[in-house]
Amino acid sequence: MLDQNTFTETLREVREIIRTSPEPMTREEILSYFKDMGLDSQQEALVFEFLTVPHEEEMPEETTDAGMGKAPEGMTNVFQMYLEELKGLPSCSEEEMTEMYRKLLDGEERVIQTISNAWLSNVLEVAKKLALSPEILPDIVQEGNMALFLRLRELCGSREKLDVEAELLLAVEEAMKAFIRELTGEDEQENAVVGKVALVNEAVKYLKEQNGHDPSVEEITNYTGISQKELGNILGLIEKTKTKM
């Protein structure tokens, strides 16, 4: 039986090897790291496709509207490939997604990649809401995509009666928040402020659209109900994150 912890760690390690490799890796080289895990051909195909899909995105222009600043120069243009990929993917209706979730729970592995593709835009939207700074957006998206893929594998064939969409969203959000906690060095309790980052980002976006300029701290406080002291903690956490990137 495939050990989930070993598989997860190997997946992370191989993803980093691919990212830092000076030359593109072949399918055989990538899958060689999983040779002792007893993957069948369909599982190998899923792993290879997941690891070779562009997951290191440059921050999109629209995230600047969320008050996160302009994307730093020097980031790659891989995000453009990501956007093109999203445009090229067929959209799925609610009924089609429900049917794919049913097949997933029944054990049809072939729907994992289809569901994963359908969730690419969802993962990006969650990342944009939680990102403390543009510098960490690509890494947050990576963590979200990883969590999505792993949770899909866990649910495949489980035959549990559950809300698959809710389970996937929870897995993505928790993975992103855990990454932020690790990055900032904050524990679960101290980092509860991370959950309010999305609210602040949405408030900044809305106020900027309404007023035509970046909102002041006082304007954000009045709109969100978050005290200036707590808002200062959030902004300080953002700066702390930037210094670690």
Side-chain angles (χ1 to χ4, degrees), residues 3-185:
D3 180 75
Q4 187 67 26
N5 291 332
T6 300
F7 175 77
T8 301
E9 186 59 32
T10 302
L11 202 62
R12 292 181 183 276
E13 291 175 355
V14 175
R15 183 184 65 179
E16 184 64 17
I17 291 172
I18 294 173
R19 188 182 70 83
T20 58
S21 177
E23 300 291 337
M25 296 178 63
T26 66
R27 188 178 192 276
E28 290 70 25
E29 288 173 331
I30 293 173
L31 293 179
S32 66
Y33 292 95
F34 302 89
K35 63 180 181 180
D36 297 326
M37 297 187 184
L39 301 180
D40 59 31
S41 58
Q42 188 173 29
Q43 290 171 331
E44 288 182 343
L46 285 171
V47 168
F48 177 72
E49 186 168 356
F50 171 76
L51 288 172
T52 53
V53 166
H55 285 264
E56 189 174 348
E57 303 82 1
E58 181 178 340
M59 189 188 71
E61 182 179 351
E62 59 264 32
T63 56
T64 61
D65 291 337
M68 295 180 355
K70 186 178 180 180
E73 293 183 4
M75 296 184 80
T76 68
N77 62 356
V78 180
F79 184 72
Q80 189 58 43
M81 296 169 56
Y82 185 77
L83 291 181
E84 292 302 321
E85 181 183 0
L86 287 181
K87 292 178 182 178
L89 293 174
S91 60
C92 297
S93 66
E94 184 176 344
E95 292 75 16
E96 289 172 327
M97 292 301 298
T98 299
E99 178 63 14
M100 283 193 289
Y101 293 152
R102 183 192 65 77
K103 291 181 178 179
L104 177 75
L105 297 176
D106 285 344
E108 295 190 30
E109 287 190 344
R110 62 186 178 83
V111 301
I112 290 179
Q113 194 59 49
T114 305
I115 296 174
S116 181
N117 287 340
W119 265 75
L120 289 177
S121 58
N122 294 343
V123 172
L124 179 60
E125 288 304 313
V126 175
K128 285 161 58 178
K129 290 180 179 180
L130 294 179
L132 300 177
S133 71
E135 290 86 354
I136 68 171
L137 183 62
D139 292 316
I140 292 180
V141 173
Q142 280 190 336
E143 291 300 316
N145 282 325
M146 173 76 75
L148 175 69
F149 181 72
L150 294 175
R151 188 60 178 140
L152 284 170
R153 291 191 71 258
E154 291 172 350
L155 292 176
C156 187
S158 67
R159 301 186 184 280
E160 298 181 54
K161 292 184 178 180
L162 44 75
D163 186 335
V164 174
E165 190 165 298
E167 290 291 321
L168 297 180
L169 181 60
L170 178 63
V172 169
E173 289 182 338
E174 289 302 310
M176 291 179 179
K177 290 178 181 179
F179 175 79
I180 295 173
R181 287 195 294 269
E182 181 180 353
L183 182 65
T184 60

Side-chain angles (χ1 to χ4, degrees), residues 183-199:
L183 182 65
T184 60
E186 304 288 342
D187 62 27
E188 182 80 31
Q189 182 176 359
E190 292 172 333
N191 204 48
V193 67
V194 171
K196 295 186 179 181
V197 171
L199 174 60

Side-chain angles (χ1 to χ4, degrees), residues 222-240:
N222 292 337
Y223 183 79
T224 63
I226 299 175
S227 68
Q228 291 194 19
K229 180 179 180 180
E230 188 173 7
L231 184 59
N233 291 335
I234 295 175
L235 299 177
L237 185 60
I238 292 174
E239 290 301 315
K240 181 178 179 180

